[in-house]
Amino acid sequence: MLFEDYDPLAGRRLSILSPEGEIDEELRPPELDDVALLELYDRLVALRQADQQALILQRAGRMGTYPPTLGQEAANIGSAAVLEPQDWLVPSFRETGAMLLKGVPLKLIYLYWMGCEWGSHFPLEVRVLPVCAPVSSQTLHGIGLSWAAKLKAENSVTLIYLGDGGTSKGDFHEAMNFAGTFKTPAIFFIQNNQYAISVPRTRQTAAPTLAQKAIAYGFPGMQIDGNDLLAVYLATGAAVTRARSGQGPSLIEAVTYRLGPHTTADDPTRYRSAEELEEQKRFDPLRRVRIYLENRGLVTAETEAARQAQHQQWAQEQAREAEAAISYNPDEIFDYHFAHLPPYLVEQKAYCQRIVAAKRESGHA
Amino acid sequence: MPKLNMVEALNLALAEEMARDNQIILLGEDVGQLGGVFRVTDGLQARFGPDRVIDTPLAESGIVGTSLGLAVGGFKPVAELQFMGFLYPALDQIISHISRYRNRTRGRYSLPLVIRMPYGGGIHAPEHHSESTEAILAHIPGIKVVIPASPYDAKGLLISALRDPDPVIFLEPKRIYRAIREEVPEGEFTVPLGQAKIVRAGDQVTAIAWGAMVRETLRAAEEVGEEGISVEVIDLMTISPLDDATLVESIQKTGRGVVVHEACRTGGLGAEIIARLMEKAFLSMAAPIERVTGFDTVFPLLKLEEHYLPDAFRISRAIRKVFNF
């Protein structure tokens, strides 16, 4: 029903929780009572702390490039919150929060951005694919997964993330076309954060919304306020229900805003104004949930400080564990390309070992 | 034992393996009701149903990219691309994801999948239907690239590819799809991946080829054989990983070599093979190794393709040249 009510061609956008912290009670999902909302708020704060810690690590030279989630926490947490353990999550690369919620340990996410492949060795049962740098190519992997689930009559859905820039790529359209044709249980979740690195949303397409792109492929799309935790939760829940009941794919365009840079290698002051950024801070997804919870007496200055400190400590511990857990063995460059190491890689591995030893002996190491 | 051509041998391999392993599914354009544009999948949809032999939308990246997800989701997808000239939209998925998934997840996700496609010239096909750009694929780490040159080997190699835990690209030389018949047993047998085969023994010159060029090279070997030159012909069968050992051993015996490929010369696989023989058998060589290849041009339309493709005449000349060096 929800998708019919929010036809993107009619220019409607789902919103439940206002920037002033007021909830439209008619639209509020019943299971998202104040206690449940407080729990999700806790995840938002945890994500922001995890992100802050990553930035500290990066600036200290302990991490490579990192893509901060700042401003997109509601889109991350609200969407992944509706998944069941058997469901698959296919991230792009700005889904740290969604991955955490699905069960990926933070230390692995840190490890990946620190530059270690073990950071993509997730526990099998979390059902999360590794992050994907070439934008939109992961959408096809997600459709393959959801197709497999359908062929096996397995009761799982696949939630696939991409950005506004990703909607310009061919693979996104091939994925939408396969999904629609084979009616796979999949959800395309677009985090439209307004910029593909520096290129604005207006340069991605002449279409008024990204949500309407689904219609051409034979399934519904909906535009939502992506900074509104409740709207994200309700819309993704509706898409999951559609997928799980055999009605096929759907698309959600979560209109959000990246408050930080694309990655730590980027300088957003070159392509957007300080005024624009100030204006957008008013729509901070954490702020509005906090105001609502404060008004209900569920969050106070003290509990807030305690919460932040607790999550900061968790993030610091995860960073330490990531750094302590791994010794970097050059053999691993070779060992995982094939199930059985072929002779030419055995040869190259032995050569690498000799060079490593020779460098050590000659003081080059 | 039935005498089969390569198309029938491949069809038999697919049918037997699909009956044995219900995780195997075929997908691609026209693979279902039509049975593939070259009929390699003929009759398989009728036998195994539309959920296992699936006609997809016309989209190469889509076919290969969804195969990755299907493999992670527990299937063994066999994707067919209609021609190697249409491989390029899927190369992004192959290079960016398929080839590296196992390594980047430190073994968490193997991708047991096969990507099949016809390749090569010589059938008077239109533009984009005759290329042999296998060197691009051989350059990519993390995948295996297999090319059969006979019906028997086609069946045995495809069964090995279907049972391999890692991604295999299977290139089918369409020029000899129906040109050769030989005895191909029903039932299980495999030809191992990663091993070259001596298809003609000799002790004076080593000639190395793969795909449709094996037959031309054998013709050339017969021709110069009548002049008293003894040529050993090696069919690579797997171009990645390369079976150095068989090549080195042969060159150490003959001291002379010719590499034949229909692909362009520059950066072709011949260059790699010669570099390896230089590294491992230089002191055994009595002459520089010759290359007989396609030209560094776009593959010509059908009126000129016979001049582009190496043939027994060109190969014989190269053999005589290294023999008389």
Side-chain angles (χ1 to χ4, degrees):
Chain A
M1 273 308 285
L2 197 65
F3 279 90
E4 286 162 29
D5 295 341
Y6 288 87
D7 176 3
L9 292 175
R12 297 203 63 195
R13 182 186 290 182
L14 175 69
S15 161
I16 301 175
L17 172 65
S18 75
E20 293 74 36
E22 284 154 7
I23 287 179
D24 180 341
E25 290 295 341
E26 269 183 39
L27 283 169
R28 180 181 192 152
E31 69 272 31
L32 215 53
D33 59 15
D34 284 357
V35 176
L37 199 53
L38 183 62
E39 275 175 29
L40 285 185
Y41 173 70
D42 188 69
R43 295 298 89 203
L44 294 175
V45 176
L47 173 55
R48 192 160 280 190
Q49 287 300 323
D51 228 34
Q52 287 298 325
Q53 187 59 35
L55 292 176
I56 291 166
L57 293 166
Q58 197 276 336
R59 284 181 199 128
R62 292 159 67 192
M63 185 178 277
T65 309
Y66 181 79
T69 319
L70 190 67
Q72 298 179 222
E73 291 90 346
N76 261 253
I77 299 297
S79 54
V82 301
L83 295 182
E84 299 289 336
Q86 77 271 21
D87 297 331
W88 281 93
L89 189 153
V90 179
S92 176
F93 49 80
R94 207 183 306 283
E95 282 81 27
T96 296
M99 292 163 76
L100 287 172
L101 214 58
K102 196 74 174 66
V104 177
L106 179 61
K107 66 178 177 184
L108 291 186
I109 297 172
Y110 281 168
L111 200 53
Y112 176 75
W113 295 108
M114 284 171 177
C116 176
E117 284 83 354
W118 287 108
S120 295
H121 186 83
F122 305 153
L124 275 175
E125 65 274 13
V126 304
R127 294 202 153 192
V128 177
L129 292 190
V131 303
C132 180
V135 296
S136 255
S137 49
Q138 80 283 3
T139 58
L140 284 166
H141 310 163
I143 295 311
L145 271 171
S146 62
W147 196 3
K150 185 178 177 181
L151 288 169
K152 290 192 293 190
E154 182 186 284
N155 180 31
S156 78
V157 306
T158 304
L159 178 56
I160 305 163
Y161 291 89
L162 70 154
D164 39 313
T167 64
S168 303
K169 292 271 296 254
D171 278 355
F172 168 61
H173 295 273
E174 295 193 18
M176 297 244 280
N177 195 40
F178 272 66
T181 301
F182 295 110
K183 227 176 168 186
T184 74
I187 299 134
F188 293 89
F189 190 93
I190 302 169
Q191 296 203 63
N192 172 6
N193 69 11
Q194 311 300 325
Y195 289 92
I197 305 190
S198 70
V199 179
R201 148 70 184 83
T202 50
R203 271 294 168 96
Q204 301 301 335
T205 176
T209 71
L210 301 175
Q212 71 195 68
K213 289 178 181 286
I215 293 163
Y217 295 97
F219 55 89
M222 184 186 351
Q223 194 180 61
I224 64 170
D225 180 346
N227 284 1
D228 171 350
L229 182 70
L230 280 84
V232 175
Y233 183 94
L234 181 68
T236 322
V240 165
T241 302
R242 270 180 51 81
R244 224 186 282 289
S245 60
Q247 296 175 76
S250 32
L251 182 151
I252 294 162
E253 175 192 358
V255 180
T256 177
Y257 190 87
R258 159 164 56 80
L259 289 168
H262 166 67
T263 69
T264 46
D266 167 41
D267 174 11
T269 64
R270 292 173 72 101
Y271 55 84
R272 63 186 189 193
S273 67
E275 294 76 38
E276 180 184 307
L277 189 62
E278 273 315 304
E279 167 68 11
Q280 285 293 337
K281 281 182 181 166
R282 203 166 72 81
F283 304 105
D284 181 333
L286 268 71
R287 185 173 159 270
R288 60 175 88 177
V289 185
R290 194 184 64 237
I291 295 171
Y292 169 82
L293 292 171
E294 278 172 357
N295 290 344
R296 310 283 290 176
L298 292 163
V299 167
T300 64
E302 295 81 56
T303 60
E304 184 68 3
R307 189 186 315 280
Q308 289 195 13
Q310 180 207 335
H311 292 315
Q312 187 184 35
Q313 195 189 348
W314 161 70
Q316 285 167 349
E317 279 165 13
Q318 291 284 302
R320 273 196 296 274
E321 278 188 38
E323 288 177 318
I326 295 297
S327 65
Y328 299 100
N329 184 346
D331 286 358
E332 292 172 7
I333 294 172
F334 302 94
D335 287 345
Y336 294 93
H337 276 89
F338 296 107
H340 310 289
L341 198 64
Y344 69 101
L345 288 182
V346 172
E347 222 173 81
Q348 292 177 20
K349 181 178 164 182
Y351 168 79
C352 183
Q353 287 168 339
R354 287 198 301 277
I355 293 296
V356 169
K359 278 187 182 165
R360 204 168 284 142
E361 267 170 41
S362 64
H364 277 83
Chain B
M1 225 184 294
K3 286 207 167 198
L4 302 183
N5 65 31
M6 191 182 283
V7 168
E8 293 160 347
L10 292 166
N11 183 275
L12 183 63
L14 289 170
E16 287 178 0
E17 286 298 289
M18 288 182 80
R20 190 185 71 88
D21 178 358
N22 61 15
Q23 303 303 103
I24 296 176
I25 56 172
L26 311 187
L27 69 160
E29 298 152 28
D30 303 309
V31 298
Q33 195 149 7
L34 181 69
V37 287
F38 288 99
R39 306 291 182 270
V40 173
T41 56
D42 198 20
L44 297 178
Q45 191 183 61
R47 180 167 168 194
F48 296 103
D51 277 353
R52 291 191 65 196
V53 183
I54 308 166
D55 278 322
T56 65
L58 196 165
E60 286 79 10
S61 190
I63 293 165
V64 172
T66 53
S67 291
L68 187 156
L70 286 162
V72 173
F75 285 95
K76 174 141 205 149
V78 182
E80 177 178 297
L81 303 181
Q82 272 182 353
F83 288 92
M84 194 178 202
F86 308 147
L87 156 72
Y88 313 116
L91 267 182
D92 179 28
Q93 286 291 340
I94 293 171
I95 298 173
S96 303
H97 297 297
I98 302 271
S99 65
R100 56 198 291 158
Y101 230 61
R102 191 174 197 289
N103 180 61
R104 72 186 297 248
T105 62
R106 282 294 181 258
R108 187 58 98 197
Y109 296 115
S110 281
L111 294 181
L113 57 84
V114 177
I115 303 169
R116 294 180 37 245
M117 73 199 86
Y119 91 108
I123 64 155
H124 290 192
E127 195 172 11
H128 296 293
H129 291 65
S130 300
E131 285 83 352
S132 47
T133 44
E134 68 271 20
I136 294 173
L137 298 170
H139 188 67
I140 305 168
I143 54 171
K144 296 171 186 174
V145 186
V146 176
I147 304 179
S150 76
Y152 178 91
D153 290 333
K155 184 184 173 191
L157 286 166
L158 184 54
I159 292 175
S160 293
L162 291 165
R163 296 181 184 185
D164 199 275
D166 292 311
V168 179
I169 302 199
F170 199 86
L171 302 176
E172 299 165 8
K174 56 183 173 293
R175 185 182 180 182
I176 53 171
Y177 257 156
R178 297 173 192 279
I180 307 166
R181 279 193 178 274
E182 67 181 0
E183 289 186 348
V184 179
E186 282 187 22
E188 182 170 328
F189 73 92
T190 58
V191 174
L193 307 186
Q195 280 183 27
K197 183 162 101 174
I198 296 168
V199 289
R200 185 187 197 277
D203 53 23
Q204 291 177 311
V205 177
T206 299
I208 300 157
W210 53 94
M213 286 296 116
V214 172
R215 207 162 68 125
E216 294 299 318
T217 306
L218 283 169
R219 281 190 183 136
E222 289 299 318
E223 197 176 311
V224 300
E226 288 166 16
E227 301 160 20
I229 308 173
S230 166
V231 181
E232 179 149 289
V233 179
I234 297 175
D235 174 3
L236 277 186
M237 298 202 296
T238 301
I239 63 161
S240 182
L242 274 178
D243 177 8
D244 296 357
T246 299
L247 305 181
V248 168
E249 198 180 321
S250 181
I251 285 286
Q252 282 169 343
K253 179 173 64 179
T254 62
R256 296 165 201 272
V258 173
V259 186
V260 184
H261 59 69
E262 59 179 278
C264 300
R265 193 176 189 84
T266 300
L269 214 62
E272 176 64 30
I273 289 166
I274 293 170
R276 293 202 192 186
L277 292 174
M278 290 287 285
E279 286 165 0
K280 295 183 175 175
F282 178 68
L283 293 176
S284 308
M285 286 187 208
I289 298 175
E290 275 288 308
R291 279 184 288 177
V292 186
T293 69
F295 303 117
D296 287 334
T297 66
V298 172
F299 195 95
L301 293 182
L302 55 99
K303 293 287 188 192
L304 287 174
E305 74 174 331
E306 65 171 304
H307 301 293
Y308 177 94
L309 287 166
D311 56 10
F313 183 82
R314 283 171 63 188
I315 300 164
S316 303
R317 284 167 68 94
I319 293 170
R320 289 189 202 101
K321 187 176 168 189
V322 299
F323 183 75
N324 295 316
F325 180 79

